Amino acid sequence: MTNLQKSRSTIEEQYKAKQNRPRIVVGLGTCGIAAGGNKVMAAIKNEVASRGLDVDVDFTSCIGMCFAEPAVEIGLPGQASVVYGGIYPDKVGQLIDGHVVGKKPVTELAAIQITGGAEPFEGIPVMEQSGYYAKQVRSVTSRLGRTNPESIEDYIATGGYAGIEKAVAMERLDIINEVKKSGIRGRGGGGFPTGNKWQFVHDAVGDKKYIVCNADEGDPGAFMDRSVLEGDPHAVLEGMMIAGFAIGADEGVIYCRAEYPLAIKRLNLAIEEAEKMGLMGENILGTGFSFKIRIKAGAGAFVCGEETALLNSIEGQRGMPRVRPPFPAHKGLWQKPTCLNNVETFANIPFIIRNGGEWYAAMGTEKSKGSKVFCLTGKINNTGLCEVPMGITMGEILNDIAGGIKEGKKFKAVQSGGPSGGCLPTEKLDLPIDYDSLISAGAMMGSGGLVFMDETTCMVDVAKFFLNFTQLESCGKCTPCREGTKRLLETLIRITEGAGTAEDIPNLERLAKVIKSSALCALGQTAPNPVLTTLRYFRNEYEAHINDKKCPAGVCAALLSFSILKDKCIGCGVCLKACPVDAISGEKKAVHVIDPAKCVKCGACVPKCKFEAIVKA
Amino acid sequence: MQSGSTCQLTGECRLPDRATLPATLYKELEEFIAQLPTKEGHLVTVLHKAQSLFGYLPKEVQQFVADYMGVSLAKVYGVVSFYTFFTMVPKGKYPISICMGTACFVKGAEKVVEAFKEALGVEVGEVTQDGKFSIDCLRCVGACALAPILTVGEKVYAHVTPDQVKNIIAEY
């Protein structure tokens, strides 16, 4: 019996005892902290100390309901625990009075309850049945918002490191076969079957092999990997260790973007704790298998999410992609065979090894197995993190999980896959989400960021935004990407400024196809996707900009004009004061007018008018 | 690529005067390089450290790194200019970084940038004359659910609107 098995039962008992104590848990992921979680934590500690209450105060990571941050969970022994949303320091007293002292949940502040086998409270949605969670599965995110990410004990008590324990007793090829059986494909965007990749690295000849974890989650609008790193860092380490054992590597590197300081801090802590317990380092669990992991911070370059650019960056070079082949599986880090997967992929591995490949393959569609974590952002009611089985439709995510578009506005598009992805319209809401269906629709899974846009978003402007991004982030190594994205962007700028011509659309399409087929790496090959999908699904908006010199969404300033409706203006003069350039004139109590020559189209006057007399067209 | 700096996130800015970069900081950097297991592959790490010490990476510091790492100044400059986190100009005492990720963009981050530019009278990437503030755009801090987001030093502001800009500046 190994030390881990011995300590596991003690740790489990301690964890159970912890769950049986009155406790207040604050969500302290980056999102919780940004929303003011640390202040809430301080207020709670203050209240608990000053009142001398017998209650444990702990913290966890993000449970996924970012829209409800700062979130606080209160649980009493033998009762369901309640997650409260929007708890700012001024609400702390009320919560403690009600739930901790009064022993009754404060229903009006409650978001969900987690019963854990206890009788549910009335009037609070049970997590599994609540709008946000009913269609979700919680597998790779199961510890998020439930355990203390800085406690290795919490991890072990919830089945942690049982995967590596099982793996080291298996044959290496059996581990790889189990991963193959699970059908998991790379969660970083490419969707390459993970088991096959492991097999290549296993078969590759080399005196030294590396495991590299891609934690350079550069897609704006994507924060799955950050949430997993901050909420379950040990799962990533364990996944890498299992991979290391399976392919015969003794060293792993996590390349984490420097914009994620909290993730780096928690990873470092996790590595330290795992080493202390003999779960990492030399002779792990007495098996003779040695594995160490170090963290390499990025320095802010989107292209470093591309695998070969990432390897160059780890080597201390400019993060520019290499020509493939040779693929990293044969010549990767320091020219040695390297197994490179992203955070979410590695975090899934311990679950797959523990529960078996078939368990994982039971979820999802024929070609895309398992679950996928998505980040829901943009103009929706419930922004946050969700984990869903592959094959769920975009419409279910929008309407059931995200709670629909904000302020009753109309849905226009969802952007899937970051700057490399595409914008999908209403007609595609029935699309079952998997790797292949998204590609055939012109978008891609990417890492899992979904940005929802409403009717007030101009799709030409969005395409311009993404091209501006990829153009700035293009490393400059290959001409199609360096020059091509620049020309695409220039054309889009021209169109949004009202100088578009009839040739612009066919030119955009032709150039986009050339870049797609000739760029060196995935950044360039996918950069035209936002242009191509907006042209495919929202061509009428391009045409309106070019032919009618109008921006239907009212976004592109050069194509807007502001005017005051004579029958609605009462001459109050509020707009006149709001105008920064004195373009509005008019006597008191007389109809005001806007001088189009002076107007800079900032729109500052529109919200100021209480009579809705100012219109933009 | 934009300019940005690590110290904006770590809050370790020490803002040395360009003319008198303190010898103690050079000493600390030298010691940091000396304790590395190898020099190979650690250029980015060393530059991170250098920027956290000096606040920025002027030519003198790059030359120092090149000498101690045994590589050319061109190579160091190549790396510094490639990554957005490295900056060759000093930042303000309170560096303002506005996230321009997709979610923030969709929620109107551009208007927030405009409001800061107007209120402080400097462009993105510049420092105010008194050296108090600088404006930068960040790619994505991953708090997209709270968009638009910005950071001033280590402090994060969520759901920022252009109206709040004056109050944020007044806090410092």
Side-chain angles (χ1 to χ4, degrees):
Chain A
M1 198 151 119
T2 65
N3 283 335
L4 178 62
Q5 280 167 328
K6 264 185 247 161
S7 40
R8 187 184 292 280
S9 52
T10 329
I11 290 170
E12 278 170 2
E13 264 166 47
Q14 284 165 351
Y15 183 74
K16 233 181 243 165
K18 200 167 104 171
Q19 302 296 311
N20 272 325
R21 293 254 315 138
R23 65 198 187 282
I24 307 177
V25 187
V26 184
L28 292 182
T30 290
C31 44
I33 293 170
N38 280 330
K39 279 187 199 155
V40 179
M41 182 63 137
I44 290 172
K45 281 189 173 158
N46 207 356
E47 284 280 326
V48 168
S50 67
R51 298 193 198 192
L53 296 170
D54 176 37
V55 51
D56 297 338
V57 181
D58 199 2
F59 70 95
T60 182
S61 57
C62 176
I63 196 167
M65 300 189 295
C66 301
F67 59 93
E69 295 288 2
V72 174
E73 180 181 340
I74 299 183
L76 299 177
Q79 290 186 3
S81 71
V82 179
V83 180
Y84 296 96
I87 302 303
Y88 293 92
D90 59 335
K91 300 235 175 84
V92 165
Q94 184 192 352
L95 260 196
I96 291 183
D97 280 337
H99 199 152
V100 180
V101 180
K103 308 216 181 296
K104 281 207 182 85
V106 186
T107 316
E108 65 268 30
L109 297 176
I112 51 165
Q113 60 177 324
I114 298 154
T115 55
E119 191 65 25
F121 294 113
E122 232 171 87
I124 303 171
V126 174
M127 183 178 188
E128 294 79 22
Q129 294 147 24
S130 67
Y132 194 68
Y133 288 103
K135 293 217 166 163
Q136 292 198 43
V137 290
R138 277 175 67 86
S139 158
V140 71
T141 58
S142 59
R143 289 192 188 88
L144 271 54
R146 306 304 309 137
T147 60
N148 182 330
E150 296 185 8
S151 156
I152 193 170
E153 288 82 12
D154 275 21
Y155 183 69
I156 292 173
T158 49
Y161 289 114
I164 184 71
E165 219 177 352
K166 188 171 167 188
V168 290
M170 288 165 75
E171 290 296 321
R172 289 161 158 206
L173 280 175
D174 290 342
I175 300 174
I176 295 174
N177 280 333
E178 209 59 45
V179 176
K180 280 186 188 165
K181 226 188 280 170
S182 77
I184 186 170
R185 294 166 67 174
R187 292 294 188 250
F192 191 82
T194 306
N196 294 4
K197 190 185 270 186
W198 287 22
Q199 182 80 54
F200 293 150
V201 190
H202 173 273
D203 297 347
V205 183
D207 52 343
K208 169 108 186 161
K209 294 178 185 177
Y210 290 99
I211 302 291
V212 174
C213 174
N214 184 346
D216 190 58
E217 186 176 46
D219 281 9
F223 51 91
M224 307 65 54
D225 292 350
R226 174 183 66 68
S227 304
V228 170
L229 292 170
E230 288 174 6
D232 203 4
H234 285 285
V236 181
L237 303 184
E238 191 183 348
M240 291 176 72
M241 284 164 69
I242 295 170
F245 182 77
I247 64 144
D250 64 353
E251 194 178 340
V253 183
I254 303 176
Y255 184 87
C256 185
R257 58 199 299 254
E259 288 90 336
Y260 288 175
L262 185 64
I264 293 179
K265 182 189 148 206
R266 287 189 180 158
L267 276 173
N268 272 320
L269 203 75
I271 292 173
E272 224 173 88
E273 298 260 277
E275 281 174 350
K276 249 189 250 164
M277 290 196 68
L279 291 165
M280 200 184 291
E282 302 291 321
N283 193 15
I284 294 168
L285 299 170
T287 56
F289 167 58
S290 300
F291 197 75
K292 56 176 187 207
I293 294 177
R294 65 189 170 93
I295 297 163
K296 188 93 188 176
F302 176 67
V303 70
C304 288
E306 197 279 335
E307 56 179 12
T308 57
L310 183 147
L311 295 173
N312 276 346
S313 186
I314 295 180
E315 293 179 11
Q317 322 267 351
R318 286 163 70 95
M320 288 165 126
R322 303 172 182 171
V323 178
R324 298 180 306 176
F327 288 91
H330 295 112
K331 286 192 172 174
L333 188 59
W334 306 114
Q335 299 297 310
K336 304 288 181 194
T338 301
C339 170
L340 209 157
N341 285 119
N342 96 320
V343 170
E344 196 186 328
T345 316
F346 279 128
N348 267 302
I349 297 297
F351 294 95
I352 291 172
I353 297 301
R354 255 169 60 206
N355 302 326
E358 275 160 20
W359 160 83
Y360 194 78
M363 275 187 291
T365 63
E366 196 199 331
K367 285 188 175 164
S368 301
K369 302 290 185 197
S371 63
K372 174 82 190 91
V373 186
F374 286 101
C375 293
L376 314 176
T377 60
K379 296 188 173 167
I380 44 173
N381 285 310
N382 304 336
T383 52
L385 188 79
C386 72
E387 183 177 355
V388 288
M390 291 275 192
I392 192 172
T393 68
M394 200 63 96
E396 285 174 280
I397 293 186
L398 169 65
N399 296 316
D400 300 334
I401 300 174
I405 296 288
K406 246 187 166 157
E407 292 157 13
K409 290 212 169 77
K410 248 174 73 186
F411 166 84
K412 185 187 259 184
V414 55
Q415 214 277 343
S416 160
S420 323
C423 297
L424 303 177
T426 316
E427 306 93 86
K428 293 284 172 190
L429 285 178
D430 312 333
L431 189 77
I433 300 177
D434 64 30
Y435 289 98
D436 311 289
S437 66
L438 282 173
I439 293 212
S440 66
M444 63 186 263
M445 182 79 79
S447 48
L450 296 177
V451 184
F452 292 90
M453 304 171 193
D454 68 8
E455 54 194 326
T456 63
T457 314
C458 166
M459 299 314 291
V460 187
D461 186 50
V462 166
K464 184 176 84 178
F465 167 81
F466 282 119
L467 259 296
N468 183 40
F469 180 93
T470 38
Q471 192 263 315
L472 280 168
E473 294 295 341
S474 170
C475 76
K477 184 167 178 171
C478 76
T479 317
C481 177
R482 183 184 64 239
E483 303 298 327
T485 55
K486 181 116 184 128
R487 294 292 99 81
L488 283 179
L489 176 64
E490 282 168 1
T491 311
L492 291 169
I493 290 175
R494 222 172 37 237
I495 295 174
T496 54
E497 285 178 350
T501 62
E503 300 93 70
D504 281 342
I505 293 183
N507 279 345
L508 280 175
E509 275 173 333
R510 207 175 65 230
L511 180 56
K513 281 173 193 156
V514 170
I515 300 171
K516 244 179 125 83
S517 56
S518 57
L520 175 65
C521 81
L523 188 150
Q525 288 156 12
T526 57
N529 281 349
V531 179
L532 286 171
T533 50
T534 48
L535 272 171
R536 178 164 156 191
Y537 300 117
F538 302 95
R539 185 177 281 261
N540 57 338
E541 291 198 26
Y542 280 85
E543 286 164 352
H545 282 74
I546 293 170
N547 303 335
D548 315 331
K549 307 289 173 210
K550 291 264 183 251
C551 174
V555 173
C556 300
L559 302 175
L560 294 180
S561 66
F562 289 84
S563 57
I564 297 175
L565 298 172
K566 279 182 189 148
D567 49 337
K568 281 198 176 168
C569 177
I570 62 151
C572 67
V574 170
C575 60
L576 188 148
K577 287 186 201 117
C579 180
V581 290
D582 299 325
I584 304 179
S585 57
E587 295 297 316
K588 262 250 168 283
K589 295 193 177 166
V591 172
H592 285 37
V593 285
I594 300 176
D595 179 356
K598 279 191 189 167
C599 176
V600 291
K601 297 164 186 177
C602 68
C605 51
V606 179
K608 296 282 180 203
C609 179
K610 285 182 191 146
F611 308 96
E612 293 174 359
I614 307 175
V615 287
K616 65 175 177 182
Chain B
M1 297 216 167
Q2 312 146 300
S3 58
S5 86
T6 329
C7 62
Q8 288 163 17
L9 286 175
T10 59
E12 287 173 25
C13 284
R14 298 188 193 175
L15 289 168
D17 184 343
R18 186 188 269 271
T20 57
L21 290 173
T24 51
L25 296 185
Y26 279 116
K27 185 95 182 81
E28 205 179 326
L29 186 58
E30 191 187 328
E31 281 163 8
F32 180 80
I33 296 171
Q35 57 83 38
L36 290 172
T38 58
K39 283 180 183 167
E40 209 185 12
H42 283 94
L43 184 53
V44 173
T45 319
V46 169
L47 289 170
H48 265 302
K49 178 72 184 174
Q51 185 158 293
S52 77
L53 289 170
F54 294 98
Y56 68 121
L57 299 169
K59 192 179 164 193
E60 301 90 276
V61 175
Q62 292 182 46
Q63 184 67 61
F64 183 89
V65 171
D67 293 346
Y68 279 79
M69 293 293 284
V71 293
S72 69
L73 178 61
K75 165 135 185 159
V76 174
Y77 175 77
V79 170
V80 169
S81 58
F82 185 82
Y83 294 100
T84 57
F85 245 67
F86 297 133
T87 172
M88 288 179 262
V89 290
K91 296 281 144 196
K93 187 174 177 196
Y94 302 105
I96 298 163
S97 302
I98 302 146
C99 181
M100 285 296 271
T102 320
C104 291
F105 170 78
V106 170
K107 290 263 186 102
E110 213 158 36
K111 286 184 179 147
V112 177
V113 176
E114 289 303 319
F116 271 107
K117 274 160 67 176
E118 201 188 304
L120 296 172
V122 290
E123 290 296 310
V124 173
E126 291 181 356
V127 191
T128 52
Q129 272 202 330
D130 57 4
K132 207 168 164 189
F133 295 103
S134 54
I135 312 178
D136 277 295
C137 289
L138 270 182
R139 267 305 176 228
C140 180
V141 291
C144 316
L146 305 168
I149 281 264
L150 64 88
T151 60
V152 181
E154 258 187 299
K155 192 165 175 194
V156 184
Y157 293 83
H159 299 302
V160 183
T161 62
D163 309 349
Q164 294 166 5
V165 164
K166 284 209 169 101
N167 291 335
I168 292 174
I169 293 171
E171 280 181 39
Y172 297 90

